[in-house]
Amino acid sequence: MNDRYSRQILFDSIGEEGQELLANKHVLIIGAGALGTGNAEILARAGVGKITIVDRDYVEWSNLQRQQLFSEEDAKYRMPKAVAARERLEQLNSDIEVEGLVMDAGAEELRQLTEFVHLIIDATDNFDTRLLMNDISQETKIPWIYGACVGSYGLSYSIIPGETPCLSCLLEKVPMGGATCDTAGIIAPAVQMVVAHQTAEALKLLTGNKDALRNKLVSFDLWNNHYMAMDVRKLKKQDCPSCGNHPSYPYLNPENQTKTAVLCGRDTVQIRPSEHGERDLEELSGVLSRLGGRVEQNPYLLSYRANEQHRLVFFKDGRVLIHGTKDIAEAKNLYYSLIG
Amino acid sequence: MKLVVNGNTMEVAGVQTVGDLIKELKLAGKGAIVELNEEILSKSEHAEAVLANGDKVEIVHFVGGG
Ligand SMILES: [Zn+2]
């Protein structure tokens, strides 16, 4: 026994008792990008007994500026993020159990992963997975902590089933075509600020300090020097399909999930988003033009050449064709990096 | 009309309601949550909530990055 956790135990609200609680907790982190690696490092060092981290992507050079568990070696060898993260976490704390899973977490996968889990940390890059996570959290009564950032802006909210509003209450409709880290950039301090908010709430929940939870939606813009904490409890809806009195968990229904299909013989993947709103091609055209790459448009669709290999065609009804790949994971990466 | 939006005083023209302001700020479809003079509004109230000179508006919008 060394004094690895001594400073954390000295912190009154955690103490010996809290530290023991942490050692018996299992946290599931969905995503091993900027937020995922940040959350995982803090929770591993803090001594959370088991951490499962899931990601479908591999490490690239453009990740190193903010994704703190990865090295140049990882980028050079295109290591799967979940594997590179697990290896680094094991170096940081060999007392705990770390599981790194290379997979695209859909409804079925998430259901299995949440078995015996005490808390889910959101570190994804898209709303489809978040809404899935939100329904599974309500169904299983496992809390989850939303976090997101882009540019110098970020926000976080802790969702406690049976107590707080859920993500569906707050959003009502799936946002479409927002800014992403690949279209608007991101600075590392914005990531760290969200990670700080998520992990502080995680430590409170895991050490039995529920009374200390923030209960507010926090948001900030580090470049424009604006900070806010909003009490959103009034937004909890009795008739919410995810957390209301008669929940139907709509995002667990295969009908409502984003569908992907490889189009045979065409070297193309089709992605069909869950919601039926119209895509704003004008706005999308503006966003994509600023990235470079050629944008062509007619009243029904927009074609965008992302790089030598890939061309994306966005239809007004929401569908997207990704030409130049038969790999669904690769197509999803490209899609979510541009659309969010 | 002068509004204080997220702590910044701004002059807006052609904006009458909270819904108009959300569009003006290009936050439509981003799940914006709005507090008008420290009272939180439900989304269904955005279109009807009329703004007056000097109103204090706080807006949080959702992003997907991470
Ligand atoms: Zn809800």
Side-chain angles (χ1 to χ4, degrees):
Chain A
M1 186 70 190
N2 52 37
D3 66 353
R4 173 193 288 262
Y5 304 119
S6 60
R7 302 304 186 272
Q8 189 166 278
I9 289 168
L10 263 179
F11 182 71
D12 241 2
S13 301
I14 295 182
E16 294 279 0
E17 207 179 315
Q19 194 62 47
E20 252 170 62
L21 285 168
L22 279 183
N24 292 305
K25 291 294 187 326
H26 182 185
V27 175
L28 172 64
I29 302 176
I30 308 293
L35 292 176
T37 54
N39 272 283
E41 175 158 353
I42 288 181
L43 297 179
R45 288 184 187 272
V48 170
K50 181 172 178 183
I51 295 174
T52 301
I53 187 159
V54 186
D55 198 284
R56 59 170 138 72
D57 202 358
Y58 59 86
V59 182
E60 293 176 276
W61 286 92
S62 66
N63 302 147
L64 300 184
Q65 159 252 5
R66 67 195 182 284
Q67 304 190 9
Q68 66 190 70
L69 295 175
F70 306 139
S71 66
E72 293 189 352
E73 289 287 289
D74 296 326
K76 223 178 276 172
Y77 295 109
R78 294 191 180 86
M79 287 292 282
K81 289 184 173 182
V83 175
R86 188 201 73 222
E87 285 175 357
R88 179 66 182 144
L89 293 170
E90 283 170 344
Q91 287 171 353
L92 299 178
N93 192 347
S94 57
D95 284 357
I96 63 165
E97 188 184 339
V98 183
E99 191 178 30
L101 302 173
V102 185
M103 61 154 72
D104 186 27
E108 266 328 292
E109 291 83 359
L110 277 175
R111 262 216 182 96
Q112 282 169 24
L113 289 172
T114 46
E115 225 183 328
F116 310 117
V117 156
H118 299 95
L119 172 66
I120 308 168
I121 301 272
D122 163 31
T124 64
D125 61 357
N126 67 83
F127 285 105
D128 291 326
T129 312
R130 287 190 176 97
L131 287 162
L132 261 182
M133 213 186 294
N134 187 59
D135 272 356
I136 287 180
S137 150
Q138 294 298 329
E139 192 187 50
T140 57
K141 309 292 174 227
I142 301 169
W144 73 282
I145 304 178
Y146 163 72
C149 47
V150 66
S152 56
Y153 178 80
L155 67 169
S156 181
Y157 189 64
S158 310
I159 292 159
I160 318 293
E163 293 175 32
T164 68
C166 77
L167 188 65
S168 288
C169 291
L170 302 184
L171 283 178
E172 292 192 3
K173 250 184 80 186
V174 191
M176 208 174 195
T180 73
C181 302
D182 293 75
T183 57
I186 173 89
I187 54 170
V191 173
Q192 294 298 332
M193 187 89 169
V194 174
V195 167
H197 280 110
Q198 288 182 293
T199 50
E201 293 278 280
L203 290 177
K204 293 173 195 172
L205 272 168
L206 298 171
T207 58
N209 284 287
K210 269 183 91 174
D211 293 347
L213 288 173
R214 193 182 55 237
N215 287 316
K216 285 186 174 153
L217 172 65
V218 278
S219 70
F220 60 83
D221 188 325
L222 292 173
W223 212 262
N224 296 306
N225 311 306
H226 184 251
Y227 304 87
M228 191 164 23
M230 210 183 253
D231 188 339
V232 292
R233 278 175 293 188
K234 230 190 92 187
L235 298 181
K236 185 164 172 67
K237 292 165 72 183
Q238 300 302 318
D239 60 350
C240 172
S242 299
C243 76
N245 297 333
H246 304 284
S248 59
Y249 310 121
Y251 297 95
L252 298 182
N253 181 342
E255 290 269 290
N256 296 332
Q257 286 164 23
T258 291
K259 290 193 189 71
T260 52
V262 183
L263 303 190
C264 281
R266 289 191 57 194
D267 202 22
T268 296
V269 173
Q270 172 178 274
I271 295 181
R272 189 203 307 265
S274 52
E275 47 118 37
H276 301 290
E278 278 209 343
R279 198 181 286 288
D280 186 339
L281 296 180
E282 287 306 319
E283 191 197 344
L284 186 64
S285 164
V287 171
L288 296 175
S289 304
R290 282 194 293 279
L291 289 180
R294 206 169 57 183
V295 180
E296 291 169 312
Q297 201 181 336
N298 69 29
Y300 312 100
L301 56 85
L302 179 155
S303 164
Y304 173 65
R305 180 158 287 283
N307 52 48
E308 293 237 312
Q309 193 193 341
H310 300 108
R311 190 167 61 89
L312 288 81
V313 176
F314 298 87
F315 291 86
K316 233 184 154 132
D317 67 2
R319 270 180 319 111
V320 185
L321 296 181
I322 293 133
H323 299 295
T325 181
K326 292 185 189 69
D327 182 346
I328 286 178
E330 187 183 341
K332 277 190 170 178
N333 280 336
L334 197 56
Y335 173 75
Y336 286 128
S337 77
L338 296 171
I339 296 299
Chain B
M1 173 165 61
K2 266 205 175 74
L3 297 172
V4 183
V5 179
N6 290 354
N8 296 317
T9 305
M10 60 187 282
E11 184 72 43
V12 290
V15 166
Q16 266 145 29
T17 66
V18 166
D20 296 340
L21 180 65
I22 290 174
K23 278 191 204 117
E24 174 75 17
L25 297 173
K26 299 202 160 50
L27 296 176
K30 295 190 172 127
I33 295 179
V34 180
E35 252 180 29
L36 176 55
N37 299 321
E38 293 173 13
E39 270 296 309
I40 197 157
L41 303 176
S42 69
K43 286 197 172 46
S44 56
E45 291 169 319
H46 290 178
E48 284 123 60
V50 175
L51 293 165
N53 201 39
D55 273 349
K56 244 183 86 187
V57 188
E58 296 281 331
I59 304 182
V60 178
H61 70 279
F62 285 84
V63 294

